[in-house]
Amino acid sequence: MKKKQLMLHRTHSGNYRSVIKTKHGRLIYLEVFKDNNSVYVKKCYYLDRVRCGEYYASPQRLVTKKFSYIKMLDVIASELDRQYFGIEIIDKFTDLKTDEFITAQLKAMQRKYNFLIFIGDGEFIDGIPSVIKSRFKNRIHRSIYLEMNYNGNGKGVISDCHYYDRKYKERSVVIPETLSTVFFDYNRQAILNIINNELNTAFTNVIFVTDGSLDIDKKVALCGNI
């Protein structure tokens, strides 16, 4: 990684926040409070772990919740897996809510296309085949099979979604625990939102392949975050 500074954005309440991308590609939201030369960690959680629309997983290596300001970069390097070479205080975005700030930061970090590829079949509804299937890897390299169908009245349904990279003794099919949606608006943006927010991915666009050139029965990811 290039040498970079830690961008700390001031909030309207006086806290400081940042979105950190670790050396291993994990995304972390960090919010701290600074009192003179002391820093207190107020919030810290992974942005690639979502359950029922909520971030729930905190970095277990972060055990230091109070430290001196001059030690902040050392703590981030040793406990949050990212090295910075300075700190820059930014007064933009002070009035954004936390989710709005996170969305803005993630969009700013996104520099390239990451296509989600579906194999499509059946009639088209607003440019989307009525049956779409895909295999992909998410940001923690789990392999997922996903099938969606048009259900009528502008709605789609998730007919199948399971991991296929491991064998389980108790159950033959394991649904990702972060998936909470069953029915949804049958459009590209809704499909992207479900997969990115609930299945831990970062796709930017959707492509539908209907010419039979891809075989969904082969257990090979069509796309993913590798």
Side-chain angles (χ1 to χ4, degrees):
M1 289 185 179
K2 297 180 180 179
K3 290 185 177 181
K4 292 190 65 175
Q5 290 190 319
L6 173 65
M7 304 295 183
L8 285 181
H9 297 259
R10 199 191 310 269
T11 71
H12 68 279
S13 63
N15 290 346
Y16 298 87
R17 59 190 177 183
S18 184
V19 171
I20 297 172
K21 186 174 184 178
T22 73
K23 290 187 295 184
H24 293 87
R26 304 297 304 275
L27 293 170
I28 296 173
Y29 175 78
L30 175 67
E31 184 171 330
V32 301
F33 171 71
K34 183 176 179 294
D35 182 19
N36 294 323
N37 291 322
S38 296
V39 176
Y40 303 83
V41 176
K42 305 293 290 186
K43 299 177 183 178
C44 186
Y45 46 79
Y46 287 115
L47 297 178
D48 51 15
R49 291 290 183 89
V50 183
R51 178 180 293 156
C52 298
E54 300 291 335
Y55 301 112
Y56 69 95
S58 300
Q60 295 184 352
R61 290 181 58 189
L62 180 64
V63 295
T64 307
K65 301 299 179 67
K66 177 185 176 182
F67 42 84
S68 63
Y69 184 70
I70 62 173
K71 292 291 185 180
M72 186 169 185
L73 297 184
D74 293 334
V75 172
I76 292 175
S78 61
E79 300 183 18
L80 292 182
D81 189 33
R82 180 61 195 267
Q83 186 173 10
Y84 291 101
F85 296 86
I87 298 175
E88 182 176 347
I89 304 298
I90 300 175
D91 288 321
K92 295 180 180 180
F93 313 121
T94 56
D95 294 329
L96 291 183
K97 297 178 181 178
T98 300
D99 58 341
E100 294 173 336
F101 172 79
I102 291 171
T103 298
Q105 292 299 298
L106 293 180
K107 286 184 178 179
M109 296 169 68
Q110 204 169 62
R111 297 186 178 93
K112 61 182 180 179
Y113 290 110
N114 190 4
F115 291 106
L116 169 63
I117 302 173
F118 276 103
I119 295 175
D121 194 12
E123 63 176 323
F124 281 78
I125 295 90
D126 293 331
I128 304 176
S130 57
V131 179
I132 53 177
K133 306 174 183 179
S134 185
R135 294 183 186 272
F136 55 87
K137 289 188 177 183
N138 66 11
R139 284 193 278 205
I140 56 174
H141 306 296
R142 294 303 308 272
S143 296
I144 297 173
Y145 173 84
L146 175 65
E147 182 174 338
M148 296 174 160
N149 299 337
Y150 182 64
N151 201 42
N153 298 319
K155 297 292 184 179
V157 60
I158 297 177
S159 54
D160 192 0
C161 183
H162 63 268
Y163 294 121
Y164 67 91
D165 53 355
R166 298 179 188 175
K167 292 184 178 179
Y168 297 88
K169 294 181 179 179
E170 297 181 0
R171 292 173 290 174
S172 59
V173 175
V174 174
I175 300 172
E177 64 280 1
T178 53
L179 180 67
S180 59
T181 296
V182 177
F183 299 98
F184 57 93
D185 293 331
Y186 205 68
N187 58 64
R188 291 171 184 263
Q189 191 57 54
I191 292 169
L192 271 178
N193 289 343
I194 292 168
I195 296 174
N196 285 339
N197 295 336
E198 299 184 21
L199 296 178
N200 193 8
T201 63
F203 294 110
T204 60
N205 302 81
V206 182
I207 295 176
F208 302 106
V209 178
T210 59
D211 61 1
S213 59
L214 297 177
D215 185 358
I216 194 66
D217 292 327
K218 290 184 178 180
K219 293 188 176 182
V220 178
L222 304 178
C223 44
N225 298 271
I226 302 175

